[in-house]
Amino acid sequence: MAKAPQSDSLAAQGQAAVKVPTRSPLLAKLSRDKYLLLLCVPGLLYFFIFKYVPMWGVLLAFKNYQPFTGFFDSEWVGFANFQQFFQDPIFFKLMRNTLLLGLYDLVFFFPAPIVLSLLLNEVRISFYKRFIQTIIYVPHFISMVILASISYLLLTTEGGVVNEMVFSVTGYRFDFLTSENWFRPLIVSQNLWKEVGWGTIIFLAALAGVDQEQYEAAIVDGANRFRQLWHITLPAIRGTIIVLLILRMGNFLDRGFEQVLLMSNALNRPVAEVFDTYVYTLGITQGAFSYSTAVGLFKAIIGIILVFTSNYLAKRSGHSGIF
């Protein structure tokens, strides 16, 4: 009977000897979600082939690229293209025009879908709500070329509908399409008409997830519609607003190449020339591939800095960022 404890310890040692080592948590998760990860393969391949592989072309910004010499045999010039760009007087004009258009977009266009979503959320008759949503979604699918043509037909001094109405009231015609003062308001107005309805989709989806019991409790406490909006609705979509704001800051210097190119002309070009159109003019029409690549790389770096900065400020203020 005294040898029983010794036999138990030997059995325990035998069980420990044949115990299979457990896999690491990471390998266990990969094995568990292998089919879900397999679904990500096409997306990863897309980003790798069309987003990361072309980044090899960024090296053109540091070379004096000549098509006949080839990519690898072209002269390495370092930061000479950047120095030339920063010393060019047009740099400050491009920066001013791009920043002003970006500021106009941030002040007037970004809040517009939020306000429109809040207004649509107050519509209680579902038929009217769906009808209005359908109407405001339609301009998103109109090509920018068609939008520029519509703008020309409405605003031209030679029989434009808007100018004829203004002339009938004031006796004057305004050069909306050629005036430097009207260019930026015209660009913002086109963006508002074309994209503000489409931008409400995300905010309406966020509003659909708000707990309705909070509104019922607020009504019991005597809160009016404005108080419900301020204390329940806006806090519920605050995270969505911050995330979209951070993402928009990454495109702060992207001013819509096609739109600006179509609406610019010789008379408003001093305020219409932005980084995107300047890169097109140099790289495509004049063949300055290395110089235009340097300009595009500078714009991309500024966008990355704005994203990281806005994300950092969002976290410091107590909100969740995008990473």
Side-chain angles (χ1 to χ4, degrees), residues 152-226:
Y152 177 81
L153 293 175
L154 292 176
L155 303 176
T156 181
T157 56
E158 301 176 358
V161 176
V162 175
N163 251 318
E164 290 299 323
M165 295 175 59
V166 173
F167 179 77
S168 64
V169 176
T170 63
Y172 296 96
R173 289 186 173 89
F174 294 91
D175 297 329
F176 295 107
L177 300 176
T178 58
S179 173
E180 296 182 7
N181 297 327
W182 282 103
F183 177 77
R184 295 187 184 103
L186 180 60
I187 294 296
V188 175
S189 301
Q190 289 178 339
N191 288 332
L192 285 172
W193 182 79
K194 188 175 186 298
E195 299 294 344
V196 68
W198 188 257
T200 60
I201 294 178
I202 296 179
F203 296 107
L204 287 174
L207 290 172
V210 181
D211 188 4
Q212 298 299 316
E213 294 182 358
Q214 297 184 24
Y215 294 106
E216 297 174 1
I219 294 174
V220 172
D221 293 337
N224 55 25
R225 301 292 286 271
F226 178 77

Side-chain angles (χ1 to χ4, degrees), residues 278-299:
Y278 186 64
V279 169
Y280 166 77
T281 303
L282 290 179
I284 303 300
T285 64
Q286 299 182 15
F289 300 107
S290 295
Y291 186 76
S292 59
T293 304
V295 177
L297 181 59
F298 166 76
K299 185 171 73 73

Side-chain angles (χ1 to χ4, degrees), residues 33-45:
D33 302 330
K34 55 182 179 293
Y35 295 111
L36 292 177
L37 295 174
L38 188 62
L39 295 175
C40 299
V41 172
L44 294 176
L45 289 176

